[in-house]
Amino acid sequence: MISPETTTVTTGYTTFDSPLGELLLVGEESATAPGGTALTSLSMPEQRGVTVQPHWRRGPGPFAEAVRQLRAYFAGELTRFELAFRTGGTDFQERVWRALEAIPYGTTTTYGRLADVVGVPRGDVRALGAAIGANPLLILRPCHRVIGADGTMRGYAAGVERKVALLRHEGALQPTLI
């Protein structure tokens, strides 16, 4: 009996020093992605559930374009990312994450408005919030742009203070004067 060939996907990672702390970029080999790597995760310090795995390969090369775009974003020179992603969410999560990408730089939307866009009944807004909270590509899929209907900053996987910092960076919030 001949055993079927198994394909092994190589996962790589690198880190990037940003104004928000050290970012962890994780990706998988992809024949169709520019640079040969599709991003699977971008996380921030103290983010729950994100740890480097022993079998991952460290190397900045496959992430050069992502790092270039992130540098340009933090320098105020880039407002939309053009990168290849490969995420493994449910159909619902993927639909929500794609809707996040449509929220323009420098703006915010509410959970209720995003629910309308995605077609989620108002009674299921918690499911929408859970999908947003599971977004593996912080900054790139801008879940930080979703706020409460009353303007309050709701949860953010990397901490509300980083959400506020991102919104200030994008000009969606005015700096606090002391």
Side-chain angles (χ1 to χ4, degrees), residues 54-86:
H55 65 277
W56 292 357
R57 292 186 182 166
R58 184 180 183 113
F63 300 95
E65 181 59 17
V67 168
R68 185 195 70 73
Q69 288 188 37
L70 284 163
R71 280 195 177 113
Y73 168 81
F74 284 116
E77 301 164 354
L78 184 98
T79 60
R80 185 160 180 81
F81 296 98
E82 298 293 334
L83 297 166
F85 305 143
R86 181 182 294 155

mmCIF file of all heavy atoms in Angstrom, residues 54-86:
data_model
loop_
_atom_site.group_PDB
_atom_site.id
_atom_site.type_symbol
_atom_site.label_atom_id
_atom_site.label_comp_id
_atom_site.label_asym_id
_atom_site.label_seq_id
_atom_site.Cartn_x
_atom_site.Cartn_y
_atom_site.Cartn_z
ATOM 1 N N PRO A 54 7.807 25.970 19.039
ATOM 2 C CA PRO A 54 9.165 25.477 18.795
ATOM 3 C C PRO A 54 9.468 25.118 17.341
ATOM 4 O O PRO A 54 10.603 25.242 16.896
ATOM 5 C CB PRO A 54 9.266 24.233 19.679
ATOM 6 C CG PRO A 54 8.154 24.329 20.657
ATOM 7 C CD PRO A 54 7.101 25.198 20.050
ATOM 8 N N HIS A 55 8.473 24.677 16.579
ATOM 9 C CA HIS A 55 8.702 24.257 15.192
ATOM 10 C C HIS A 55 8.684 25.421 14.195
ATOM 11 O O HIS A 55 8.966 25.228 13.022
ATOM 12 C CB HIS A 55 7.686 23.178 14.791
ATOM 13 C CG HIS A 55 6.264 23.672 14.779
ATOM 14 N ND1 HIS A 55 5.510 23.743 15.929
ATOM 15 C CD2 HIS A 55 5.478 24.123 13.775
ATOM 16 C CE1 HIS A 55 4.306 24.207 15.628
ATOM 17 N NE2 HIS A 55 4.262 24.443 14.331
ATOM 18 N N TRP A 56 8.370 26.624 14.638
ATOM 19 C CA TRP A 56 8.373 27.781 13.748
ATOM 20 C C TRP A 56 9.804 28.201 13.456
ATOM 21 O O TRP A 56 10.684 28.096 14.304
ATOM 22 C CB TRP A 56 7.637 28.950 14.365
ATOM 23 C CG TRP A 56 6.159 28.777 14.516
ATOM 24 C CD1 TRP A 56 5.387 27.721 14.125
ATOM 25 C CD2 TRP A 56 5.271 29.701 15.139
ATOM 26 N NE1 TRP A 56 4.073 27.930 14.444
ATOM 27 C CE2 TRP A 56 3.971 29.149 15.084
ATOM 28 C CE3 TRP A 56 5.441 30.938 15.730
ATOM 29 C CZ2 TRP A 56 2.860 29.803 15.596
ATOM 30 C CZ3 TRP A 56 4.324 31.589 16.247
ATOM 31 C CH2 TRP A 56 3.055 31.022 16.171
ATOM 32 N N ARG A 57 10.014 28.708 12.266
ATOM 33 C CA ARG A 57 11.340 29.204 11.862
ATOM 34 C C ARG A 57 11.376 30.728 11.965
ATOM 35 O O ARG A 57 10.509 31.399 11.423
ATOM 36 C CB ARG A 57 11.647 28.801 10.419
ATOM 37 C CG ARG A 57 11.851 27.337 10.245
ATOM 38 C CD ARG A 57 12.284 27.058 8.828
ATOM 39 N NE ARG A 57 12.435 25.631 8.651
ATOM 40 C CZ ARG A 57 12.539 25.048 7.489
ATOM 41 N NH1 ARG A 57 12.517 25.765 6.377
ATOM 42 N NH2 ARG A 57 12.679 23.744 7.405
ATOM 43 N N ARG A 58 12.407 31.208 12.626
ATOM 44 C CA ARG A 58 12.554 32.662 12.746
ATOM 45 C C ARG A 58 13.334 33.191 11.550
ATOM 46 O O ARG A 58 14.350 32.623 11.169
ATOM 47 C CB ARG A 58 13.276 33.031 14.031
ATOM 48 C CG ARG A 58 13.359 34.541 14.208
ATOM 49 C CD ARG A 58 14.070 34.934 15.488
ATOM 50 N NE ARG A 58 14.037 36.370 15.620
ATOM 51 C CZ ARG A 58 13.377 37.036 16.545
ATOM 52 N NH1 ARG A 58 12.715 36.382 17.461
ATOM 53 N NH2 ARG A 58 13.399 38.344 16.563
ATOM 54 N N GLY A 59 12.842 34.260 10.955
ATOM 55 C CA GLY A 59 13.558 34.864 9.839
ATOM 56 C C GLY A 59 12.822 36.069 9.316
ATOM 57 O O GLY A 59 11.635 35.993 9.022
ATOM 58 N N PRO A 60 13.495 37.189 9.177
ATOM 59 C CA PRO A 60 12.827 38.404 8.709
ATOM 60 C C PRO A 60 12.552 38.431 7.208
ATOM 61 O O PRO A 60 11.640 39.119 6.763
ATOM 62 C CB PRO A 60 13.809 39.509 9.098
ATOM 63 C CG PRO A 60 15.142 38.836 9.087
ATOM 64 C CD PRO A 60 14.883 37.419 9.541
ATOM 65 N N GLY A 61 13.315 37.695 6.406
ATOM 66 C CA GLY A 61 13.198 37.763 4.953
ATOM 67 C C GLY A 61 11.790 37.646 4.404
ATOM 68 O O GLY A 61 11.346 38.513 3.641
ATOM 69 N N PRO A 62 11.051 36.597 4.764
ATOM 70 C CA PRO A 62 9.706 36.437 4.206
ATOM 71 C C PRO A 62 8.721 37.531 4.628
ATOM 72 O O PRO A 62 7.666 37.676 4.040
ATOM 73 C CB PRO A 62 9.251 35.085 4.749
ATOM 74 C CG PRO A 62 10.499 34.382 5.140
ATOM 75 C CD PRO A 62 11.465 35.444 5.547
ATOM 76 N N PHE A 63 9.095 38.311 5.627
ATOM 77 C CA PHE A 63 8.191 39.334 6.156
ATOM 78 C C PHE A 63 8.617 40.747 5.775
ATOM 79 O O PHE A 63 8.079 41.722 6.283
ATOM 80 C CB PHE A 63 8.114 39.202 7.687
ATOM 81 C CG PHE A 63 7.610 37.864 8.117
ATOM 82 C CD1 PHE A 63 8.494 36.849 8.449
ATOM 83 C CD2 PHE A 63 6.252 37.598 8.180
ATOM 84 C CE1 PHE A 63 8.034 35.602 8.828
ATOM 85 C CE2 PHE A 63 5.781 36.357 8.557
ATOM 86 C CZ PHE A 63 6.675 35.350 8.883
ATOM 87 N N ALA A 64 9.589 40.864 4.866
ATOM 88 C CA ALA A 64 10.139 42.178 4.516
ATOM 89 C C ALA A 64 9.059 43.147 4.038
ATOM 90 O O ALA A 64 9.044 44.317 4.437
ATOM 91 C CB ALA A 64 11.238 42.029 3.469
ATOM 92 N N GLU A 65 8.145 42.692 3.204
ATOM 93 C CA GLU A 65 7.102 43.582 2.687
ATOM 94 C C GLU A 65 6.123 43.976 3.788
ATOM 95 O O GLU A 65 5.700 45.137 3.871
ATOM 96 C CB GLU A 65 6.360 42.945 1.510
ATOM 97 C CG GLU A 65 5.279 43.821 0.914
ATOM 98 C CD GLU A 65 5.772 45.181 0.391
ATOM 99 O OE1 GLU A 65 6.985 45.375 0.177
ATOM 100 O OE2 GLU A 65 4.919 46.076 0.199
ATOM 101 N N ALA A 66 5.763 43.051 4.648
ATOM 102 C CA ALA A 66 4.865 43.379 5.761
ATOM 103 C C ALA A 66 5.519 44.401 6.689
ATOM 104 O O ALA A 66 4.875 45.375 7.098
ATOM 105 C CB ALA A 66 4.487 42.117 6.534
ATOM 106 N N VAL A 67 6.787 44.208 6.994
ATOM 107 C CA VAL A 67 7.502 45.150 7.862
ATOM 108 C C VAL A 67 7.608 46.517 7.182
ATOM 109 O O VAL A 67 7.406 47.553 7.818
ATOM 110 C CB VAL A 67 8.880 44.587 8.261
ATOM 111 C CG1 VAL A 67 9.748 45.652 8.915
ATOM 112 C CG2 VAL A 67 8.714 43.383 9.187
ATOM 113 N N ARG A 68 7.878 46.528 5.883
ATOM 114 C CA ARG A 68 7.947 47.794 5.146
ATOM 115 C C ARG A 68 6.630 48.545 5.244
ATOM 116 O O ARG A 68 6.590 49.747 5.525
ATOM 117 C CB ARG A 68 8.308 47.554 3.675
ATOM 118 C CG ARG A 68 8.505 48.864 2.887
ATOM 119 C CD ARG A 68 8.509 48.652 1.389
ATOM 120 N NE ARG A 68 7.204 48.304 0.844
ATOM 121 C CZ ARG A 68 6.175 49.150 0.696
ATOM 122 N NH1 ARG A 68 6.279 50.406 1.054
ATOM 123 N NH2 ARG A 68 5.026 48.740 0.174
ATOM 124 N N GLN A 69 5.522 47.824 5.034
ATOM 125 C CA GLN A 69 4.213 48.471 5.093
ATOM 126 C C GLN A 69 3.868 48.924 6.511
ATOM 127 O O GLN A 69 3.287 49.998 6.705
ATOM 128 C CB GLN A 69 3.138 47.543 4.536
ATOM 129 C CG GLN A 69 3.229 47.399 3.023
ATOM 130 C CD GLN A 69 2.071 46.639 2.420
ATOM 131 O OE1 GLN A 69 0.930 46.760 2.858
ATOM 132 N NE2 GLN A 69 2.357 45.845 1.387
ATOM 133 N N LEU A 70 4.223 48.137 7.509
ATOM 134 C CA LEU A 70 3.970 48.550 8.891
ATOM 135 C C LEU A 70 4.775 49.799 9.253
ATOM 136 O O LEU A 70 4.260 50.714 9.903
ATOM 137 C CB LEU A 70 4.282 47.409 9.861
ATOM 138 C CG LEU A 70 3.232 46.302 9.901
ATOM 139 C CD1 LEU A 70 3.796 45.043 10.537
ATOM 140 C CD2 LEU A 70 1.984 46.781 10.646
ATOM 141 N N ARG A 71 6.031 49.847 8.824
ATOM 142 C CA ARG A 71 6.843 51.053 9.067
ATOM 143 C C ARG A 71 6.193 52.272 8.418
ATOM 144 O O ARG A 71 6.115 53.350 9.009
ATOM 145 C CB ARG A 71 8.260 50.858 8.526
ATOM 146 C CG ARG A 71 9.135 50.074 9.436
ATOM 147 C CD ARG A 71 10.617 50.201 9.049
ATOM 148 N NE ARG A 71 11.389 49.468 10.024
ATOM 149 C CZ ARG A 71 12.081 48.364 9.763
ATOM 150 N NH1 ARG A 71 12.131 47.879 8.533
ATOM 151 N NH2 ARG A 71 12.740 47.759 10.727
ATOM 152 N N ALA A 72 5.725 52.107 7.195
ATOM 153 C CA ALA A 72 5.078 53.207 6.482
ATOM 154 C C ALA A 72 3.781 53.617 7.194
ATOM 155 O O ALA A 72 3.469 54.809 7.293
ATOM 156 C CB ALA A 72 4.803 52.816 5.032
ATOM 157 N N TYR A 73 3.036 52.654 7.701
ATOM 158 C CA TYR A 73 1.806 52.940 8.451
ATOM 159 C C TYR A 73 2.134 53.776 9.690
ATOM 160 O O TYR A 73 1.521 54.819 9.937
ATOM 161 C CB TYR A 73 1.112 51.634 8.843
ATOM 162 C CG TYR A 73 0.001 51.810 9.855
ATOM 163 C CD1 TYR A 73 -1.267 52.222 9.455
ATOM 164 C CD2 TYR A 73 0.226 51.573 11.204
ATOM 165 C CE1 TYR A 73 -2.287 52.387 10.386
ATOM 166 C CE2 TYR A 73 -0.790 51.741 12.134
ATOM 167 C CZ TYR A 73 -2.044 52.147 11.729
ATOM 168 O OH TYR A 73 -3.051 52.319 12.644
ATOM 169 N N PHE A 74 3.100 53.335 10.474
ATOM 170 C CA PHE A 74 3.436 54.057 11.700
ATOM 171 C C PHE A 74 4.089 55.411 11.408
ATOM 172 O O PHE A 74 4.033 56.309 12.239
ATOM 173 C CB PHE A 74 4.319 53.205 12.608
ATOM 174 C CG PHE A 74 3.553 52.119 13.320
ATOM 175 C CD1 PHE A 74 3.819 50.787 13.064
ATOM 176 C CD2 PHE A 74 2.557 52.432 14.235
ATOM 177 C CE1 PHE A 74 3.109 49.782 13.718
ATOM 178 C CE2 PHE A 74 1.833 51.436 14.886
ATOM 179 C CZ PHE A 74 2.113 50.109 14.634
ATOM 180 N N ALA A 75 4.664 55.576 10.235
ATOM 181 C CA ALA A 75 5.232 56.868 9.838
ATOM 182 C C ALA A 75 4.163 57.804 9.269
ATOM 183 O O ALA A 75 4.455 58.949 8.918
ATOM 184 C CB ALA A 75 6.340 56.658 8.800
ATOM 185 N N GLY A 76 2.927 57.322 9.149
ATOM 186 C CA GLY A 76 1.846 58.135 8.610
ATOM 187 C C GLY A 76 1.828 58.205 7.101
ATOM 188 O O GLY A 76 1.164 59.058 6.521
ATOM 189 N N GLU A 77 2.521 57.287 6.433
ATOM 190 C CA GLU A 77 2.644 57.302 4.978
ATOM 191 C C GLU A 77 1.767 56.264 4.280
ATOM 192 O O GLU A 77 1.702 56.241 3.059
ATOM 193 C CB GLU A 77 4.105 57.044 4.588
ATOM 194 C CG GLU A 77 5.063 58.066 5.161
ATOM 195 C CD GLU A 77 6.509 57.616 5.108
ATOM 196 O OE1 GLU A 77 6.781 56.455 4.718
ATOM 197 O OE2 GLU A 77 7.365 58.425 5.485
ATOM 198 N N LEU A 78 1.116 55.387 5.037
ATOM 199 C CA LEU A 78 0.315 54.305 4.447
ATOM 200 C C LEU A 78 -0.999 54.211 5.200
ATOM 201 O O LEU A 78 -1.010 54.234 6.431
ATOM 202 C CB LEU A 78 1.071 52.970 4.557
ATOM 203 C CG LEU A 78 0.386 51.787 3.901
ATOM 204 C CD1 LEU A 78 1.000 51.557 2.524
ATOM 205 C CD2 LEU A 78 0.557 50.544 4.740
ATOM 206 N N THR A 79 -2.087 54.112 4.461
ATOM 207 C CA THR A 79 -3.397 54.030 5.102
ATOM 208 C C THR A 79 -4.134 52.730 4.795
ATOM 209 O O THR A 79 -5.184 52.468 5.370
ATOM 210 C CB THR A 79 -4.287 55.212 4.669
ATOM 211 O OG1 THR A 79 -4.458 55.165 3.246
ATOM 212 C CG2 THR A 79 -3.664 56.540 5.075
ATOM 213 N N ARG A 80 -3.588 51.925 3.897
ATOM 214 C CA ARG A 80 -4.228 50.643 3.535
ATOM 215 C C ARG A 80 -3.147 49.626 3.236
ATOM 216 O O ARG A 80 -2.249 49.883 2.442
ATOM 217 C CB ARG A 80 -5.133 50.828 2.334
ATOM 218 C CG ARG A 80 -5.912 49.592 1.961
ATOM 219 C CD ARG A 80 -7.113 49.949 1.105
ATOM 220 N NE ARG A 80 -7.877 48.794 0.739
ATOM 221 C CZ ARG A 80 -8.775 48.203 1.524
ATOM 222 N NH1 ARG A 80 -9.014 48.656 2.710
ATOM 223 N NH2 ARG A 80 -9.443 47.155 1.109
ATOM 224 N N PHE A 81 -3.268 48.469 3.849
ATOM 225 C CA PHE A 81 -2.285 47.404 3.649
ATOM 226 C C PHE A 81 -2.634 46.563 2.435
ATOM 227 O O PHE A 81 -3.808 46.289 2.180
ATOM 228 C CB PHE A 81 -2.218 46.500 4.894
ATOM 229 C CG PHE A 81 -1.724 47.227 6.110
ATOM 230 C CD1 PHE A 81 -2.604 47.727 7.051
ATOM 231 C CD2 PHE A 81 -0.369 47.420 6.309
ATOM 232 C CE1 PHE A 81 -2.154 48.409 8.167
ATOM 233 C CE2 PHE A 81 0.099 48.099 7.419
ATOM 234 C CZ PHE A 81 -0.792 48.600 8.352
ATOM 235 N N GLU A 82 -1.628 46.150 1.706
ATOM 236 C CA GLU A 82 -1.780 45.272 0.541
ATOM 237 C C GLU A 82 -0.889 44.061 0.777
ATOM 238 O O GLU A 82 0.235 44.004 0.278
ATOM 239 C CB GLU A 82 -1.381 46.012 -0.741
ATOM 240 C CG GLU A 82 -2.226 47.227 -1.053
ATOM 241 C CD GLU A 82 -3.669 46.896 -1.417
ATOM 242 O OE1 GLU A 82 -3.921 45.780 -1.912
ATOM 243 O OE2 GLU A 82 -4.529 47.764 -1.195
ATOM 244 N N LEU A 83 -1.384 43.122 1.565
ATOM 245 C CA LEU A 83 -0.621 41.930 1.933
ATOM 246 C C LEU A 83 -1.488 40.691 1.755
ATOM 247 O O LEU A 83 -2.715 40.771 1.804
ATOM 248 C CB LEU A 83 -0.162 42.026 3.398
ATOM 249 C CG LEU A 83 0.793 43.172 3.722
ATOM 250 C CD1 LEU A 83 0.896 43.374 5.225
ATOM 251 C CD2 LEU A 83 2.164 42.892 3.115
ATOM 252 N N ALA A 84 -0.829 39.549 1.582
ATOM 253 C CA ALA A 84 -1.545 38.280 1.472
ATOM 254 C C ALA A 84 -1.772 37.715 2.873
ATOM 255 O O ALA A 84 -0.848 37.658 3.677
ATOM 256 C CB ALA A 84 -0.744 37.295 0.628
ATOM 257 N N PHE A 85 -3.011 37.323 3.147
ATOM 258 C CA PHE A 85 -3.384 36.735 4.431
ATOM 259 C C PHE A 85 -3.848 35.299 4.230
ATOM 260 O O PHE A 85 -4.424 34.964 3.192
ATOM 261 C CB PHE A 85 -4.553 37.489 5.081
ATOM 262 C CG PHE A 85 -4.349 38.960 5.268
ATOM 263 C CD1 PHE A 85 -5.411 39.830 5.083
ATOM 264 C CD2 PHE A 85 -3.131 39.485 5.646
ATOM 265 C CE1 PHE A 85 -5.262 41.196 5.270
ATOM 266 C CE2 PHE A 85 -2.967 40.845 5.844
ATOM 267 C CZ PHE A 85 -4.030 41.700 5.656
ATOM 268 N N ARG A 86 -3.653 34.497 5.248
ATOM 269 C CA ARG A 86 -4.236 33.155 5.282
ATOM 270 C C ARG A 86 -4.682 32.917 6.720
ATOM 271 O O ARG A 86 -3.865 32.679 7.606
ATOM 272 C CB ARG A 86 -3.226 32.090 4.867
ATOM 273 C CG ARG A 86 -3.850 30.677 4.893
ATOM 274 C CD ARG A 86 -2.863 29.596 4.544
ATOM 275 N NE ARG A 86 -2.439 29.741 3.161
ATOM 276 C CZ ARG A 86 -1.280 29.292 2.702
ATOM 277 N NH1 ARG A 86 -0.414 28.711 3.501
ATOM 278 N NH2 ARG A 86 -0.967 29.447 1.432
#
